[in-house]
Amino acid sequence: MLDGQGYRPHVFRHEGGQTSWGAAGEEFYNIFLFVSSHAMDAALGTAVGLLFASLKQRWPNIHASDRPLEREEAAMRGRIALTDSLKMSDRRGRPVHMDELDLISEQLDLETGRWTLLFKDPYEARYEVELGTRENLPYTYRVRRDLPPWSGEPTGE
């Protein structure tokens, strides 16, 4: 049909909806991946927990003991605690290795099972470590370093 000037009128008609599998679905996939990854983490955590519980039932005698640390074990753990927690070095900045620490004093508190160990390095710095067990596992309670007066560096915990 023509209008008065010879043109046909355009008729626009809209039907139905639109489904897009392109960029419009990206947010859905991001949410789906986020939720599924957290669900998988929770499932794995539960599975590992059940595995350890079943192993504990099978072998109930395998556990850490509540005995106090032996002298040699306490000395070694004290050296390790010192090298892990303090940056020990000589006057030239050379690191002090844990084998260079001499155990000069040890004390065991029989009530608590805690050891207090005193070490000395070749450069006269002294180190005090207090360790024992907590929940049947070795635990370091305190580490202290006292530098010789000639070092000019601060001392303390």
Side-chain angles (χ1 to χ4, degrees), residues 15-155:
E15 292 181 13
Q18 177 183 350
T19 303
S20 172
W21 294 100
E26 180 180 352
E27 193 59 35
F28 169 75
Y29 292 120
N30 285 339
I31 293 171
F32 175 75
L33 290 174
F34 175 78
V35 171
S36 63
S37 69
H38 284 291
M40 187 60 103
D41 288 345
L44 286 174
T46 302
V48 169
L50 291 173
L51 173 67
F52 282 125
S54 69
L55 290 175
K56 187 175 181 180
Q57 288 176 351
R58 279 190 193 165
W59 297 293
N61 294 331
I62 299 176
H63 62 279
S65 67
D66 56 355
R67 65 169 176 76
L69 298 174
E70 298 291 329
R71 179 186 179 275
E72 292 80 18
E73 182 183 5
M76 180 56 69
R77 290 191 181 278
R79 287 181 174 96
I80 292 170
L82 285 171
T83 56
D84 285 347
S85 62
L86 297 177
K87 294 181 179 176
M88 300 185 305
S89 61
D90 63 9
R91 287 185 272 187
R92 296 182 188 103
R94 184 185 67 84
V96 175
H97 191 266
M98 69 180 203
D99 292 336
E100 296 178 289
L101 296 172
D102 293 326
L103 179 63
I104 57 175
S105 172
E106 78 261 354
Q107 175 184 356
L108 173 63
D109 184 341
L110 295 176
E111 290 181 20
T112 62
R114 289 186 184 183
W115 282 92
T116 303
L117 306 166
L118 186 62
F119 294 94
K120 181 179 77 167
D121 71 13
Y123 307 100
E124 302 301 318
R126 293 179 183 257
Y127 305 91
E128 183 177 332
V129 181
E130 184 178 341
L131 48 90
T133 57
R134 180 184 281 181
E135 297 177 4
N136 296 333
L137 296 172
Y139 186 80
T140 303
Y141 291 96
R142 187 169 54 91
V143 175
R144 179 179 172 85
R145 172 176 62 178
D146 290 318
L147 296 174
W150 51 259
S151 70
E153 294 183 35
T155 63

